[in-house]
Amino acid sequence: MIACWFQRAWIDNQWQYDVRLTVAEGRISALETGVGAAPGDERHAAALPGLCNVHSHGFQRGMAGLSERRSRPDDNFWSWREIMYRFLDRLTPDDVAAITAQAYAEMLEGGFTRVGEFHYLHHDPAGVTYADPAEMAGAIVDASSATGIGLTLLPVFYAHGNFGGASPSPGQRRFLSDIDGFATLLDSARTKLVGDANIGIAPHSLRAVAPDQLAALLAMSPTGPVHIHAAEQEKEVADCIAWSGARPVAWLLDNAAVDARWCLIHSTHLDVDEVPRLAASGAVAGLCPITEANLGDGIFPAIDYLAAGGRFGIGTDSNILIDAAGELRALEYSQRLAHHARALLAGTESPFVGANLYACALAGGAQALGVETGLAVGQPADIVSLDLDHPSFAGTDDATLLDRWIFAGGAGTIDCVWRAGVKRVEGGRHVDRTAIAAAYRKSVERIVA
Ligand code: NGQ
Ligand code: ZN
């Protein structure tokens, strides 16, 4: 893309008209509003800045829909995890590259232009470190390059099976590191980054990481994103209290200097003290509403958290279904189902839920991945265009446009997606969808056979 003209564009969280964007070296180099298109400009209807997907396990896309049958009377998150461990047991680095590429292509088609990959599948099926310790990180970088999505790589440290340093289970052997081994892995992973990819660290959870290890990880990575799973399951909260006397989020706030670098993934189960404390920390809550519903995690206290000024980003986590608008819709619907009311996550300045959710997820997502965002000069040209000829937008006005997209748009509303100025999605399809899907199909067919 050299220059592109949009009938309207979402700039500083409001629609502006007749917008011309010029791009150089992947970034917006000029932005004019209230101007006509110049000869040769591509013309489109509506431009949104792309969202960051703060939490993905790309390989889990390959088992989407394969864990929906009842396997025992008390099927739950923990039995799902067993199925997930059996699936990942067979994956080669080529499988991870192929499956992750499919997930990333779908993310671009679904309105995400950058992904935070919470990457813990490090070692070979026997748990032995590959000759290149960051072989699997390389597969993820390859998937991002093949699809064009922006990447924030979050290498995961994983050492224990539960709170108190419990031994890991055999199903976890591909994840495990000691601190020295992880430092080597992190160094090697850094050398693989391309383009504007960046890197953070991800202590997996308080279940998998002991306090002294958490301190060592933070010392190893003094800047950049820190992501950790926290308080997703009630059993996890109970186990944490049994171990420490505190709930997971309270423990982190008390013991880990949680600040704006941090993203606490899920944070589903917060008590009345944790809600304002997490909000005041400046950290981002990494909400993954579709996965959280699929896994039966629980409902995040979004109304109180937003009222306290809390920040959030959205993630696709298990990649059971990849859809930025769908995540925002699921977040609002979770609150409606819990509270028997409507239009709950409206903003203080705007009563329109869709616009508020988009603005929050845009800012929180970028913060969580350690990048900047928005349609502005100097920012990456990460742009999602909507097809305003779609029936869902009939008679649309500014105020309701994002509500129509998020709550009523459905398939076919996203037209083009540019990432760092390169058009990767056209007419709703990733330009390399056919080849990416063929490689994906080959891997998954072999694995599930
Ligand atoms: C994960 N997923 O790391 O993929 C986890 C399962 C765990 C979610 N928590 C493993 N949704 O938490 O122990
Ligand atoms: Zn996760």
Side-chain angles (χ1 to χ4, degrees), residues 55-57 59-60 77-78 80-81 84-85 88 118 120 156 158 160-161 172 175 204-205 207-208 229-230 232-233 236 265-266 288 291-292 295 297 317-318:
H55 192 66
S56 159
H57 308 288
F59 75 85
Q60 291 179 18
F77 171 86
W78 307 101
W80 167 83
R81 196 175 72 156
M84 192 268 283
Y85 286 175
L88 68 78
F118 198 102
Y120 59 86
V156 173
Y158 201 113
H160 302 292
Q172 295 166 336
F175 322 156
H204 181 274
S205 55
R207 288 182 266 122
H229 291 118
E232 179 182 14
Q233 280 283 319
E236 173 196 345
I265 305 302
H266 307 301
C288 310
T291 293
E292 288 153 9
L295 297 179
D297 289 338
D317 193 355
S318 68

Side-chain angles (χ1 to χ4, degrees), residues 252-321:
L252 284 167
L253 292 166
D254 288 339
N255 294 284
V258 172
D259 63 12
R261 293 172 67 193
W262 288 68
C263 183
L264 272 59
I265 305 302
H266 307 301
S267 303
T268 309
H269 298 287
L270 302 177
D271 73 10
V272 290
D273 295 325
E274 287 172 305
V275 169
R277 291 190 66 203
L278 180 59
S281 74
V284 173
L287 309 179
C288 310
I290 293 176
T291 293
E292 288 153 9
N294 180 266
L295 297 179
D297 289 338
I299 298 175
F300 178 77
I303 299 170
D304 293 344
Y305 180 75
L306 293 193
R311 304 171 190 185
F312 75 86
I314 51 166
T316 60
D317 193 355
S318 68
N319 295 312
I320 179 82
L321 197 62

Side-chain angles (χ1 to χ4, degrees), residues 395-411:
T396 198
D397 56 359
D398 277 5
T400 61
L401 204 164
L402 285 172
D403 287 341
R404 287 162 179 261
W405 179 51
I406 290 166
F407 293 101

Side-chain angles (χ1 to χ4, degrees), residues 332-355:
E332 167 70 18
Y333 282 178
S334 69
Q335 308 301 303
R336 295 187 189 188
L337 289 164
H339 296 281
H340 308 173
R342 303 189 71 255
L344 289 165
L345 301 180
T348 44
E349 278 151 39
S350 157
F352 295 95
V353 174

Side-chain angles (χ1 to χ4, degrees), residues 57 63-64 73 99 122 134 139 163 222 234-235 283 287 300 311 332 371:
H57 308 288
M63 59 171 283
I99 295 171
H122 299 309
F163 293 96
E234 284 173 315
K235 177 183 182 295
L287 309 179
F300 178 77
R311 304 171 190 185
E332 167 70 18
V371 296

